[in-house]
Amino acid sequence: MKPEKWNEFAQYINGEYIKNSAWHSAKTIKKYKGHSVIFDNYTTYQTVSNTTITQVFTRLTIPLNINYEFSFEIYRKNLITSIGKLFGMQDIEVGHTKFDRDFIIKSNNGFKIKQILNNKEVRESIEQFKGVYITTSKKEGIFGKKLPKSKTELTLYTYDDITDFEMLKAFYNLLTILTDKLESIDYIKSEAI
């Protein structure tokens, strides 16, 4: 999304606009219970046979101070992931047939991820989106430098440049619901970031 659109979006959600700089895209930041939800784009470039391929991601990130290690990934199944399952790729089933059929769930703690995904509001919030990837990450913005041990980032990203303000707001709502669930299992330290 162009910088002026991020500025417009910041006004739309009563957030803060941060201008782009040499190495960082423009972004919008919206506070939620002392946490910063960061909306931005990340662009990758790959050159193949003198042709540069550009991929723009839309991402929302919430930096978190954590009490213990807990990681997860949730994303919708597709042809490639279905083939991977045939060859032994493991994922966790949470006991909800439709959700288990439609999503890949990976975690270092099956019990904790089931606690989160047994919440109907969480599942329904995730199910409304087709091409999103939700993860905890130990790298800044997923692609950046490694974070200290007591920190992680809850991130939602998509392989599209999302310009629809209502869609971005729905992504925000999903991450706030997940943040609340992570607080309920005492994953997040209580102090504000």
Side-chain angles (χ1 to χ4, degrees):
M1 191 155 53
K2 293 181 180 175
E4 58 271 15
K5 292 297 280 182
W6 282 119
N7 188 18
E8 194 178 314
F9 179 65
Q11 294 171 30
Y12 180 77
I13 62 166
N14 196 27
E16 176 188 1
Y17 169 68
I18 307 293
K19 291 174 95 170
N20 56 316
S21 63
W23 296 105
H24 297 284
S25 66
K27 60 187 78 176
T28 295
I29 299 175
K30 172 87 173 150
K31 294 290 186 182
Y32 179 74
K33 292 185 175 181
H35 303 290
S36 294
V37 181
I38 305 161
F39 300 76
D40 72 351
N41 292 115
Y42 183 82
T43 306
T44 60
Y45 304 92
Q46 183 178 8
T47 302
V48 179
S49 300
N50 295 328
T51 302
T52 300
I53 300 167
T54 304
Q55 174 68 59
V56 178
F57 298 84
T58 298
R59 77 185 159 181
L60 281 73
T61 303
I62 304 177
L64 300 170
N65 290 320
I66 58 173
N67 288 315
Y68 53 87
E69 291 299 318
F70 170 52
S71 60
F72 62 85
E73 300 172 38
I74 304 166
Y75 51 95
R76 196 171 282 276
K77 290 180 183 174
N78 58 36
L79 179 61
I80 293 168
T81 60
S82 296
I83 292 169
K85 283 200 55 104
L86 289 174
F87 291 101
M89 185 176 81
Q90 296 296 313
D91 73 304
I92 296 168
E93 292 189 353
V94 294
H96 297 274
T97 306
K98 183 179 182 312
F99 197 86
D100 289 334
R101 181 192 69 219
D102 294 344
F103 289 88
I104 297 288
I105 303 140
K106 297 179 183 179
S107 179
N108 67 342
N109 189 321
F111 178 75
K112 294 281 186 195
I113 195 63
K114 287 177 185 180
Q115 274 186 291
I116 292 168
L117 294 175
N118 275 326
N119 181 286
K120 185 178 180 182
E121 182 183 23
V122 171
R123 285 192 320 279
E124 288 178 351
S125 295
I126 294 169
E127 288 172 329
Q128 70 181 317
F129 303 114
K130 295 289 183 215
V132 299
Y133 190 95
I134 303 160
T135 187
T136 54
S137 175
K138 294 301 286 178
K139 288 190 172 184
E140 191 176 278
I142 298 177
F143 306 104
K145 65 182 179 184
K146 189 172 180 177
L147 296 168
K149 186 174 176 133
S150 64
K151 298 191 180 293
T152 197
E153 291 183 342
L154 175 61
T155 301
L156 177 154
Y157 68 90
T158 182
Y159 291 96
D160 295 310
D161 183 7
I162 305 296
T163 58
D164 180 319
F165 288 2
E166 284 301 309
M167 176 75 76
L168 291 169
K169 192 173 169 186
F171 289 165
Y172 170 83
N173 290 336
L174 169 55
L175 282 192
T176 61
I177 290 167
L178 281 170
T179 300
D180 288 345
K181 287 304 294 176
L182 291 170
E183 285 179 339
S184 77
I185 63 170
D186 197 37
Y187 175 60
I188 301 170
K189 287 188 179 175
S190 59
E191 72 268 16
I193 296 171

